[in-house]
Amino acid sequence: MSPSRRLLALLAVAGAVPLIEAAILVGIDFRSPQALAPQATGVWPYDTYHDLRWLLVYHNSWLTFGLGLLAAVTLRGLLSAVLVRLAWPAHLPRPPTRHLVGRNLGVAALTAVIVAPFAAMSIAASAVALSWLVFVSLGPMIVIAPFLQRMSVGPGGWRGLPSAELFGWSLLDLVALSVAGGLVWSASPGWTPLVALAAGVVNGLLWNRTVHAALLPNVVRLPRTPTVPIVVVLAMSAPVVMQVFQAPHAGQRDTFDPPIFDQPLAAQVPYAVILLAGHDSAYDGRPAVDPRVRRFSYVGLDDQGRPLPYPPEATQQSLADSAQLLAAQVDTLHRRTGRPIALIGESEGAMVARTYLRDRAESPVRVLMMFSPLARPARVYYPPPEADRGWGIAAGWLLRGIFGLANVFVHDHNPDEPFVRSLIEADGPFYRYQTMCPIPGVRVIAFLPTITAVEAPPGPYTKIPVVEVPAFHAGFLGRSTVTSQIIDFLSGANLQRPRSEYGVLQRVGSAWQAPPLVVSLNPVWRAGLPPGRRPFLQQQLCS
């Protein structure tokens, strides 16, 4: 076959697979994961990352996981062997097909082992809607990508450093897949498969240049050093290291100190205010400067109705238990002040407040301000450890392994802690679709850091006013401008300040999220579904 025909064949194969995947997703009206389609022929390891995220969400027993993993590794190895063979430079001798197939099957198996923890962290990101977990799952793969790409073309690829050119093509592949995912998601259903086809053709060009760069380095640096094992060990340790860094610091006393706690409340504010801190926060028992302001305590009130100090571990209880404690604290403050109540919650605190208001139509609460709420959690599921089957069972045990290793150094991380389980169990559909919805009789607003745009599928995500702020999760409540906006809203002003880049970030980030588990498939969630609901409908927000 001539070089030009080989290139055309390469582009055809690389484009056909995303086209087929996108066409299937459009055919069943499953829009949320369509941005993943271009990765079906992405260059290592993004192709395996694509496969494992689908597998970790859509298996419901160890048997289906094992068979699915075997099929994914085999098909990925065979497809990659075809792509490498078609991308091989014409002026270089090409190894026999059986050698390429054997090598790529081996690399596919190795990549599956390497990528599995990162895919599991992506599952965790979709369970609790935290953007930093997306970056933990994606970041190490950016580092290991050029090393794996060298291994797929010939022996000795596990030694030495990849060339700068190979690093460059690898980074371009990441950018191309991010942009392609956004374009595929943004296209109308009739155009989606064609956009996926075009993205696959770009993948083919990148395979061509990547294979050339892997085979033709000018100089291989550190040619005798086993760089791949070293890099893989470092990359695979990243999820554990990040868990250690996220742990509460020793001796932590109070991690939530917004200005409204340390300053008198403005006279024009007609409410008494309860401040709810987030996960892993602590409280030392200090009273607020203004007697109309109280901290929510995750352990309750003392005999005199004052919030008790609590350690970070107290925030791990279920949302239902925390909401029950909040009910008592709302009633106590309302009786003492005679004022309606405003709740200001950050992260988990926002979810506690939202859970409380879901079940209490006669509450004295008239304002809810949510800062960094978990906007679209519970998009995936994994059963509790005592279960012997259930959707995502292997993902759950992968996460337990990662957190278990982190617990060698810290002891406050558990993917089965009551808070996390309360998000993804029977109430999962509520948190997935109702968190950002209006509440009768309550003025509601959400302050969202722009980083949260990468953690949930694109499209409408709220039917309440939002203020989008350039910030990280739970990182802006103490800003002076935000404090002014809090007082304005509590004084009766209406706020709505979206940012134009938020939608762009949603689309770019959509390629790196796990596909959502269809609600009607999961028996744990199914009971709460209205009759006649279309199973793959993406826009179920507030319905």
Side-chain angles (χ1 to χ4, degrees), residues 4-96:
S4 59
R5 288 186 177 180
R6 285 221 318 266
L7 178 60
L8 289 175
L10 172 64
L11 301 184
V13 173
V17 180
L19 168 66
I20 294 170
E21 179 173 330
I24 292 172
L25 292 173
V26 170
I28 62 176
D29 197 20
F30 196 12
R31 191 178 184 194
S32 292
Q34 289 173 10
L36 276 67
Q39 295 170 36
T41 52
V43 185
W44 301 108
Y46 305 115
D47 49 0
T48 299
Y49 188 54
H50 161 275
D51 302 343
L52 289 185
R53 281 177 293 160
W54 276 107
L55 179 60
L56 287 175
V57 173
Y58 283 96
H59 73 279
N60 62 357
S61 69
W62 285 108
L63 177 61
T64 55
F65 175 75
L67 293 175
L69 182 60
L70 178 62
V73 169
T74 301
L75 293 174
R76 182 56 57 192
L78 294 174
L79 177 59
S80 298
V82 171
L83 294 171
V84 170
R85 188 176 189 278
L86 292 173
W88 203 273
H91 61 282
L92 290 180
R94 189 172 60 226

Side-chain angles (χ1 to χ4, degrees), residues 250-432:
Q252 179 176 343
R253 295 287 293 170
D254 195 341
T255 59
F256 184 72
D257 198 22
I260 195 172
F261 185 75
D262 292 322
Q263 300 172 4
L265 197 60
Q268 67 268 27
V269 174
Y271 307 103
V273 177
I274 295 179
L275 302 170
L276 298 94
H279 195 263
D280 277 345
S281 65
Y283 178 46
D284 57 14
R286 289 184 300 118
V289 169
D290 195 305
R292 295 176 294 169
V293 178
R294 282 283 178 91
R295 277 283 301 270
F296 167 68
S297 171
Y298 281 90
V299 297
L301 303 173
D302 64 14
D303 293 340
Q304 297 179 336
R306 296 172 300 193
L308 290 165
Y310 66 82
E313 294 78 17
T315 64
Q316 297 177 4
Q317 65 194 354
S318 73
L319 286 168
D321 288 344
S322 295
Q324 188 66 35
L325 291 173
L326 177 59
Q329 295 175 49
V330 165
D331 293 343
T332 297
L333 186 60
H334 178 59
R335 286 195 304 268
R336 187 174 64 81
T337 63
R339 291 172 175 259
I341 304 299
L343 301 178
I344 300 178
E346 182 179 70
S347 189
E348 181 186 351
M351 306 307 289
V352 172
R354 188 65 187 86
T355 303
Y356 162 82
L357 287 169
R358 177 192 62 184
D359 303 324
R360 294 168 177 83
E362 303 303 320
S363 164
V365 172
R366 294 294 174 264
V367 169
L368 171 61
M369 304 185 74
M370 298 187 291
F371 289 80
S372 298
L374 309 182
R376 292 288 295 277
R379 300 194 309 276
V380 296
Y381 181 77
Y382 53 88
E386 63 271 13
D388 57 3
R389 61 182 297 113
W391 293 102
I393 187 170
W397 281 104
L398 273 171
L399 289 173
R400 290 177 194 112
I402 294 169
F403 282 79
L405 287 175
N407 286 342
V408 174
F409 307 97
V410 294
H411 301 282
D412 290 300
H413 297 80
N414 184 353
D416 295 301
E417 68 180 48
F419 165 62
V420 175
R421 294 236 62 95
S422 66
L423 277 174
I424 66 174
E425 288 291 346
D427 289 333
F430 170 80
Y431 296 117
R432 182 167 170 176

Side-chain angles (χ1 to χ4, degrees), residues 24 26 83 85 87 105 115 137 156 173 177 189 220 304 375 475:
I24 292 172
V26 170
L83 294 171
R85 188 176 189 278
L105 285 172
V115 170
S137 71
D173 187 48
L177 291 173
V220 177
Q304 297 179 336

Side-chain angles (χ1 to χ4, degrees), residues 220-261:
V220 177
R221 300 186 181 277
L222 304 178
R224 297 182 179 277
T225 304
T227 52
V228 169
I230 295 172
V231 171
V232 166
V233 169
L234 292 175
M236 293 183 72
S237 67
V240 174
V241 172
M242 288 303 299
Q243 293 299 320
V244 174
F245 283 139
Q246 287 291 318
H249 300 295
Q252 179 176 343
R253 295 287 293 170
D254 195 341
T255 59
F256 184 72
D257 198 22
I260 195 172
F261 185 75

